[in-house]
Amino acid sequence: MSGYLYKISRNKILNHIDHDKVRDKYISLLNDFAEAGRYESDFLVREKQLKELIEIEVAALPEQMRKAFEISRNHDLAHKEIAEQLGVSEGVVRNNISRSLKILREKLGPVVLLYLLLKR
């Protein structure tokens, strides 16, 4: 009878230890998941803020430049098609898009660099 009680006790203890290992592993994985979620949430917030800043700067462009830039980026049209829509020459569209990119690069350059550095 004592051998029987010994085996039951030993198996109960081993089962308890195994259960503790599984619980600890589960808690560890849950903590890892929570940490990853925090970083992803932070990244999404920063990305949203950067998009808003870009939208503000695009809205501040002169009207013709802004229209040409938005059509080229949002509708993926060629300069010729944009020129037809706006009723201007293809050269004007090309210059407007080029100048708008230059303006945005100058205004957003440090912000974009900071965004990329913080992205890590």
Side-chain angles (χ1 to χ4, degrees):
M1 182 78 162
S2 65
Y4 174 73
L5 290 176
Y6 170 77
K7 283 188 176 188
I8 289 175
S9 301
R10 186 186 65 141
N11 287 338
K12 281 284 192 183
I13 291 170
L14 291 176
N15 286 342
H16 186 70
I17 291 171
D18 286 343
H19 178 73
D20 286 348
K21 286 180 184 178
V22 169
R23 187 190 69 225
D24 290 344
K25 185 175 180 179
Y26 176 77
I27 290 172
S28 174
L29 290 173
L30 189 60
N31 285 335
D32 292 346
F33 178 75
E35 280 296 314
R38 273 192 218 125
Y39 292 126
E40 186 174 318
S41 296
D42 186 45
F43 173 75
L44 293 174
V45 167
R46 281 188 270 141
E47 184 179 29
K48 181 182 175 190
Q49 290 172 342
L50 181 61
K51 283 180 182 180
E52 288 172 356
L53 184 60
I54 291 170
E55 288 173 6
I56 289 169
E57 292 301 331
V58 168
L61 291 171
E63 185 178 356
Q64 281 297 105
M65 252 191 240
R66 182 182 49 77
K67 284 181 182 178
F69 180 79
E70 287 179 341
I71 292 172
S72 74
R73 296 301 181 243
N74 297 336
H75 301 292
D76 198 30
L77 297 177
H79 291 165
K80 186 176 182 178
E81 296 168 321
I82 297 170
E84 290 172 2
Q85 274 191 2
L86 297 178
V88 295
S89 72
E90 192 175 337
V92 170
V93 169
R94 190 176 306 113
N95 286 338
N96 280 341
I97 292 173
S98 176
R99 288 190 310 190
S100 63
L101 286 171
K102 182 180 178 186
I103 290 170
L104 292 173
R105 225 178 283 122
E106 289 171 357
K107 290 186 177 185
L108 297 173
V111 174
V112 173
L113 178 62
L114 180 63
Y115 172 73
L116 293 174
L117 290 175
L118 293 176
K119 187 176 173 182
R120 292 183 189 181

